[in-house]
Amino acid sequence: MILRPGIHVFHGSYMEIRTPELNKCRPKKDFGRGFYVTTSREQAVRFTKTSVKKALYDGIIDVDNAKGILNEYALLIDDSITSYEFKDADIEWLHCVVAHRRSGLFSNETEKWKSYDVIAGKIANDNTNLVITAYIDGVYGEAGTEKADNIAIGFLEPENLANQICLRTPRALKCLEFVNSMEVKA
């Protein structure tokens, strides 16, 4: 179980983020638009590298100011927050991730998840992107068929994936309490 009362979570970035804003979060992510955190400090530190590279590419920062920042928060979810937690990277998880990444594929899936403030589960990281892209492109057969689903899940090796928590609404963001930030090697 990922979502536990008072857990500490991390977000890797190129900047300190005391108060996350949903309008600055990118769409087409695993569980939709939202502010993503993880209980894995190591995963968040690895993400600082990606964040810094994107910020450099987008011209948000320059090379002289490129640094990774690990943000730490306490996550204090109460009973008013609707949440869903995937127990594993299974077929339901795969369809949710694919639906949020590729418009028009499993469109009924995005509707299914709209009512949740928070969604938690395994992270589709750099190691899994090739598998998910191949799945979407039909390399394993038509996406959504039992054959394609089983092949993709087999290649994903769910037991080796870190977790992620997507805070999708302003109500969910109010459950985050900034603890501190620190510079890390990006």
Side-chain angles (χ1 to χ4, degrees), residues 21-26 33:
E21 298 176 38
L22 288 175
N23 63 343
K24 293 184 179 179
C25 299
R26 294 180 186 221
R33 181 186 295 256

Side-chain angles (χ1 to χ4, degrees), residues 5-30:
I7 60 172
H8 278 234
V9 294
F10 305 92
H11 177 85
S13 183
Y14 62 90
M15 64 182 281
E16 181 179 87
I17 304 172
R18 288 182 173 268
T19 308
E21 298 176 38
L22 288 175
N23 63 343
K24 293 184 179 179
C25 299
R26 294 180 186 221
K28 306 276 186 204
K29 296 294 183 186
D30 293 351

Side-chain angles (χ1 to χ4, degrees), residues 31-72:
F31 302 144
R33 181 186 295 256
F35 186 72
Y36 284 79
V37 294
T38 178
T39 59
S40 169
R41 179 186 208 91
E42 295 79 21
Q43 177 67 27
V45 168
R46 281 192 299 273
F47 189 74
T48 62
K49 294 172 179 62
T50 303
S51 181
V52 168
K53 284 179 188 174
K54 285 180 183 178
L56 284 166
Y57 179 81
D58 292 342
I60 297 169
I61 59 174
D62 58 36
V63 176
D64 295 334
N65 295 315
K67 59 185 174 189
I69 303 293
L70 179 66
N71 294 280
E72 181 179 358

